[in-house]
Amino acid sequence: MSYGVPAPDAGSQEAPVCPRHPDRVSYVRCQRCGRPACAECQRPAAVGFQCVDCVREQAAATPARKNAFGGVARGDTPVVTYTLIGLCVVVFLLQLVIPGITRSFTYAPVFTAGAGGVIPAEPWRMLTAAFLHSERSFLHIAFNMYALYILGKVLEPAMGRARFLALYLISALGGSIGVLLLTGNPLQGVVGASGAVFGLFGALLIVQRKRGGDVRQIVVLIAINAVLGFVVPGIAWQAHLGGLVAGAACAAAIAYAPRGSRQARTQVLGLGGVVVLLALLTVVGVARLPI
């Protein structure tokens, strides 16, 4: 029986092909643009499939999800934290194999500006020392890396990767400046991530305070570790104090920046202000060196 609808001529239409792969025939079309999409170019959608080009366009047009302090929310995996831990572990292993690394990158106040041509000015040691640890004690690096892991899991997702990295590095710098200002021996070398870790402690205190959480446990933990710096020999409490203050200042600049379109700019200015203040303190510390 015929209903008067002519059958399509098989030769009158070409088979649909994928625009990205013209050699591939595909009868599956993108639900958004309607173009054919081969199996390689198909992406599952709420209904059917979308082509890879439409998925990319949608991703580019979708605003990035922000975390509580304006950073881009990238999930709960603390990538920067793991990277910092990995760097410290790799450097520690190199220290065991190449002893000269420790001597070349340890920080002592005298290296900030040098000493009359006898000792060169190598101010970058203020940061490099934070990636070194004592080869004589595995507990040194173990404790610091454990603390970095615990604190990083909380702070990095809350702040975002860039802000967390800035917090860590500025705290490490603050730890070295604490040594510069407070140590009585400008030739005494220091190593370790303790200054940066104490900066994370200070940041966690500020963040919890901003969120309205209970900070008593954090205060007790900071107090216990601070006391250990005075009781246990060989611990640079000056680095702990410097890192703690610098980290708290960075966290305040991040957490208390007003929300809105200027939040990121305000945070950058706040962190820049902390760096400028640390630079001024460095000048003061150098002027006080008895060399």
Side-chain angles (χ1 to χ4, degrees):
M1 180 180 295
S2 175
Y3 291 94
V5 179
D9 184 358
S12 63
Q13 292 183 336
E14 295 183 358
V17 296
C18 175
R20 295 172 60 85
H21 302 94
D23 59 326
R24 302 178 187 178
V25 176
S26 176
Y27 291 93
V28 176
R29 294 183 178 273
C30 173
Q31 296 296 317
R32 189 163 181 256
C33 68
R35 295 181 300 174
C38 68
E40 184 177 342
C41 295
Q42 294 171 15
R43 299 293 184 270
V47 178
F49 294 90
Q50 290 186 5
C51 67
V52 64
D53 294 323
C54 286
V55 170
R56 288 175 179 172
E57 289 177 6
Q58 283 183 304
T62 302
R65 189 167 59 92
K66 301 290 186 179
N67 56 34
F69 300 114
V72 178
R74 304 179 186 273
D76 295 331
T77 303
V79 175
V80 174
T81 300
Y82 291 153
T83 302
L84 292 171
I85 292 173
L87 285 174
C88 288
V89 171
V90 168
V91 171
F92 180 71
L93 294 177
L94 291 176
Q95 287 179 259
L96 298 178
V97 179
I98 312 173
I101 289 180
T102 305
R103 183 174 60 256
S104 299
F105 296 101
T106 295
Y107 174 69
V110 69
F111 287 113
T112 309
V118 179
I119 299 177
E122 297 178 346
W124 58 83
R125 291 175 179 250
M126 301 176 83
L127 280 179
T128 59
F131 294 90
L132 302 173
H133 289 84
S134 173
E135 308 101 302
R136 297 186 298 272
S137 173
F138 286 94
L139 288 177
H140 187 207
I141 186 172
F143 174 79
N144 281 340
M145 294 304 99
Y146 177 72
L148 173 56
Y149 171 72
I150 296 298
L151 295 168
K153 283 202 308 179
V154 177
L155 291 172
E156 184 178 338
M159 292 185 170
R161 294 174 184 173
R163 290 164 179 79
F164 178 76
L165 179 59
L167 164 67
Y168 186 87
L169 295 178
I170 295 174
S171 298
L173 181 62
S176 294
I177 293 174
V179 173
L180 171 64
L181 293 172
L182 302 175
T183 187
N185 182 4
L187 299 177
Q188 180 63 49
V190 294
V191 295
S194 302
V197 168
F198 263 78
L200 300 185
F201 276 121
L204 183 60
L205 177 65
I206 298 298
V207 168
Q208 282 291 91
R209 182 77 176 180
K210 172 63 176 177
R211 288 176 167 178
D214 188 359
V215 299
R216 288 176 295 182
Q217 291 183 348
I218 302 174
V219 171
V220 171
L221 189 59
I222 292 174
I224 292 174
N225 284 276
V227 170
L228 289 176
F230 291 96
V231 175
V232 179
I235 295 180
W237 61 267
Q238 301 92 337
H240 294 179
L241 180 59
L244 180 68
V245 174
C250 289
I254 293 172
Y256 287 93
R259 291 196 174 190
S261 59
R262 297 185 178 181
Q263 183 181 25
R265 181 181 179 183
T266 304
Q267 291 170 339
V268 170
L269 291 175
L271 293 175
V274 175
V275 173
V276 170
L277 178 59
L278 291 177
L280 293 175
L281 291 174
T282 301
V283 173
V284 173
V286 170
R288 295 175 56 194
L289 286 176
I291 295 177

